[in-house]
Amino acid sequence: MEKCTAQFLIKLQAHSKIPKVAVNNIVEGTSILINQVKEHLKQKVISYINESDEDFTTESVEQIFDNFEDPLINLKTSYRQSSVIENNPNFVQPLHIADIITSHPSYCREGILYDICDGQCFKNNPIFQEHPNALQIVLYHDEVEICNPLGSHVGKHKIDLYYYTLGNISPKHRSKLRAIRLLAIVKAKDVSKYGQKKILTPILNDLQRLANGYTFIINGTPIELFGAVVSCLGDTEGQHQWGCFKVKVGWAHQKCRNCLCTFVNMQQNFRDSQFTQRSVEQYHRQCDDIERGPNDEIMKDL
């Protein structure tokens, strides 16, 4: 039996090209099914012995096995498999993704922030005010070194990855791999050379079209949807690139992009009320100071 089982698994891998992880899941599921079949046959034999007045003979055992119905006999086609599954009383009809993402957001009661739609930025956005079922786009950016270089080769093959997911999806499903989509891949040196705005221009154009309404064909039906970016996520370096701040902050005097805390202060205080918040006016003033620097060294220090 062990040899037959091994041949069965080899055929699954070789002919159907099923990955090893899937084969392990099949082995586990098949083992459970075999145990259930064994238990079923055992109960049949015990029931026959207890209920029959005749002697338990070889013929009676053969009769029990001959009357045993193959549990897979009605599951040999996709249609029959679907029919059996849907007729199961425990079957839960799956929801279409279009119904999920186009449904109105669920708000928590006042004072509780559970999701993006509970925040003031979302509630005050004119697109979501006029179209509550608009697409809530969450962008994510990160830099990845695709190999492990040493010394002077560090950063040579670094790339920028941009992903997106939809805030319309429930938070418990939103961060799953199947809900995250790749948006763009760019060489990091091109981002440094041309800037984020130049790289993201095609994406920004598409977002503008979506903000004005775009007709999608979903299951053969045209549906006009609106949408806007609700959040741009990333690590410190990625967020500084989004906001056009100084990217490398390892030796920066003031590392935080939200306030003016120093490295020493941020180790001692942990509430935003204890720090002076940054402002747009201050940001532009600092940029002007950098541009008016008398030489490159001073500009770099600023």
Side-chain angles (χ1 to χ4, degrees):
M1 286 298 297
E2 185 176 349
K3 183 178 180 181
C4 293
T5 305
Q7 290 177 344
F8 167 71
L9 297 178
I10 291 173
K11 286 183 179 180
L12 282 178
Q13 283 187 279
H15 294 174
S16 302
K17 298 181 180 180
I18 297 178
K20 194 68 176 178
V21 175
V23 172
N24 294 338
N25 293 333
I26 292 174
V27 170
E28 182 179 356
T30 305
S31 178
I32 295 174
L33 177 62
I34 291 175
N35 288 332
Q36 291 175 343
V37 171
K38 285 168 56 180
E39 184 65 26
H40 177 73
L41 288 174
K42 184 173 73 173
Q43 294 300 326
K44 283 279 189 181
V45 173
I46 294 174
S47 177
Y48 182 88
I49 294 174
N50 293 334
E51 296 176 1
S52 178
D53 296 332
E54 302 177 1
D55 294 334
F56 193 63
T57 62
T58 303
E59 289 76 12
S60 59
V61 174
E62 291 179 351
Q63 183 180 0
I64 293 175
F65 279 86
D66 290 340
N67 293 334
F68 176 74
E69 184 178 352
D70 184 357
L72 301 177
I73 191 67
N74 294 322
L75 299 173
K76 292 186 177 181
T77 64
S78 299
Y79 174 77
R80 289 186 175 183
Q81 293 168 14
S82 300
S83 299
V84 172
I85 293 173
E86 291 176 1
N87 291 329
N88 190 310
N90 296 324
F91 174 72
V92 178
Q93 186 70 31
L95 297 175
H96 293 288
I97 187 65
D99 297 332
I100 296 175
I101 64 176
T102 57
S103 60
H104 286 229
S106 300
Y107 301 102
C108 283
R109 65 177 183 270
E110 192 67 28
I112 295 180
L113 298 177
Y114 174 75
D115 201 358
I116 297 173
C117 58
D118 297 318
Q120 291 301 318
C121 291
F122 178 88
K123 294 179 180 179
N124 295 332
N125 189 304
I127 293 179
F128 297 110
Q129 288 178 343
E130 297 179 15
H131 311 281
N133 63 339
L135 299 179
Q136 307 167 28
I137 300 174
V138 180
L139 298 179
Y140 177 77
H141 164 247
D142 193 14
E143 281 190 343
V144 177
E145 184 69 72
I146 58 177
C147 57
N148 188 23
L150 299 175
S152 60
H153 297 287
V154 173
K156 183 177 181 180
H157 300 289
K158 184 179 287 188
I159 58 176
D160 280 41
L161 299 173
Y162 299 86
Y163 301 92
Y164 78 93
T165 186
L166 295 177
N168 308 72
I169 303 174
S170 173
K172 63 182 179 181
H173 301 303
R174 189 183 306 157
S175 60
K176 292 186 177 180
L177 185 60
R178 68 187 67 179
I180 301 173
R181 293 289 181 266
L182 179 64
L183 185 61
I185 301 177
V186 188
K187 289 184 177 180
K189 61 182 180 181
D190 290 338
V191 177
S192 301
K193 181 178 180 180
Y194 299 105
Q196 288 268 6
K197 185 175 181 180
K198 187 71 173 179
I199 297 297
L200 297 177
T201 295
I203 298 173
L204 295 175
N205 293 338
D206 289 343
L207 289 173
Q208 186 60 49
R209 294 174 62 190
L210 183 61
N212 297 326
Y214 185 83
T215 301
F216 294 86
I217 305 299
I218 302 177
N219 296 328
T221 304
I223 299 177
E224 185 181 31
L225 293 175
F226 296 79
V229 175
V230 294
S231 182
C232 295
L233 307 178
D235 57 10
T236 299
E237 186 172 330
Q239 292 293 74
H240 280 220
Q241 285 188 346
W242 285 122
C244 297
F245 293 104
K246 183 178 181 180
V247 176
K248 303 296 183 180
V249 297
W251 300 101
H253 177 60
Q254 295 171 326
K255 301 176 183 293
C256 182
R257 63 180 177 274
N258 296 316
C259 68
L260 299 175
C261 68
T262 63
F263 178 75
V264 175
N265 290 336
M266 67 190 302
Q267 307 301 316
Q268 300 172 348
N269 303 308
F270 306 99
R271 296 183 179 275
D272 59 355
S273 59
Q274 296 173 301
F275 303 104
T276 302
Q277 300 296 308
R278 293 182 184 269
S279 64
V280 177
E281 295 78 12
Q282 184 187 60
Y283 170 74
H284 289 305
R285 186 169 62 251
Q286 291 173 339
C287 290
D288 292 338
D289 292 341
I290 294 175
E291 291 180 355
R292 291 197 298 266
N295 54 58
D296 292 341
E297 289 298 324
I298 294 179
M299 292 175 64
K300 187 180 296 185
D301 290 338
L302 292 173

